[in-house]
Amino acid sequence: MQELFNEIMTRDEIIDFKARLKKAGELLITERIAMTKSAIDSAQEAANSEGKSSAGDKYETGRAMGHLEKDMYARQQAENLKELDLLQKVNINIVHTTAQAGAFVKCSDHSFFIAAGLGKQIVDDLPVFFLSPYAPLAKLLLHKKAGDRFLFNKRETEILEVF
């Protein structure tokens, strides 16, 4: 994939690359949703199966902990579903000239895909930071174009290309 950036990509190659990024993000979030669903079910089952013991407080504490755990996973699930919805709404069929939702931003040291907050992922052997459009770094990049500079990790970074 690195060789793609050493030559000019056609519009179709750009769209195809961004489609692979989006698909990788959707797959990751879908996996997270499945894992969280399983954790919610396990927490509910643990809370339901907490046996009544002679120490009644232990029983109530165990049930309460199970419900707290279930609630924590339910919040994570809601975030995962929200992130998936946000990613699915990203239009990758536009070749952007400035950084915005749906744009891929190639810099001297890092690459960013502004679509969903999934952190650093490897797609086509290329490390890419997936950023939520609402993340502070995405807001810093907003409307910047190739040749612009910004401060990232206390280093001045140049944007090489945006699409």
Side-chain angles (χ1 to χ4, degrees):
M1 179 45 62
Q2 190 60 38
E3 63 274 1
L4 280 179
F5 297 110
N6 296 332
E7 61 185 59
I8 306 255
M9 292 171 65
T10 67
R11 182 181 189 288
D12 288 342
E13 289 170 331
I14 288 171
I15 302 299
D16 183 56
F17 176 64
K18 291 198 312 180
R20 289 194 307 277
L21 289 172
K22 184 175 179 177
K23 186 71 175 164
E26 289 172 341
L27 182 62
L28 180 63
I29 296 171
T30 302
E31 288 171 359
R32 287 180 181 177
I33 288 169
M35 288 185 332
T36 307
K37 168 96 172 76
S38 177
I40 288 170
D41 292 346
S42 294
Q44 182 65 54
E45 186 177 314
N48 290 345
S49 67
E50 183 66 41
K52 190 89 159 157
S53 70
S54 58
D57 286 347
K58 181 180 180 247
Y59 166 75
E60 290 304 323
T61 300
R63 284 184 59 85
M65 292 301 291
H67 286 295
L68 286 173
E69 190 176 1
K70 180 184 168 206
D71 291 347
M72 176 189 69
Y73 290 126
R75 284 190 301 277
Q76 288 176 359
Q77 187 73 315
E79 283 299 313
N80 288 332
L81 291 168
K82 183 175 141 186
E83 203 70 46
L84 181 60
D85 183 57
L86 181 66
L87 179 57
Q88 289 175 334
K89 289 178 180 173
V90 168
N91 184 352
I92 50 131
N93 295 314
I94 298 171
V95 178
H96 298 283
T97 56
T98 62
Q100 56 192 288
F104 178 80
V105 181
K106 173 73 176 154
C107 299
S108 46
D109 296 328
H110 305 286
S111 296
F112 305 97
F113 181 49
I114 304 173
L118 302 174
K120 184 178 180 180
Q121 304 298 321
I122 305 296
V123 179
D124 293 348
D125 296 323
L126 179 73
V128 177
F129 287 94
F130 281 66
L131 301 176
S132 163
Y134 307 108
L137 181 54
K139 289 179 180 179
L140 178 68
L141 290 171
L142 192 62
H143 304 303
K144 290 197 177 346
K145 59 188 180 320
D148 289 349
R149 297 177 175 275
F150 65 100
L151 203 58
F152 179 63
N153 284 340
K154 299 179 183 173
R155 291 182 54 195
E156 187 172 273
T157 302
E158 181 180 3
I159 297 174
L160 301 177
E161 65 183 304
V162 177
F163 53 80

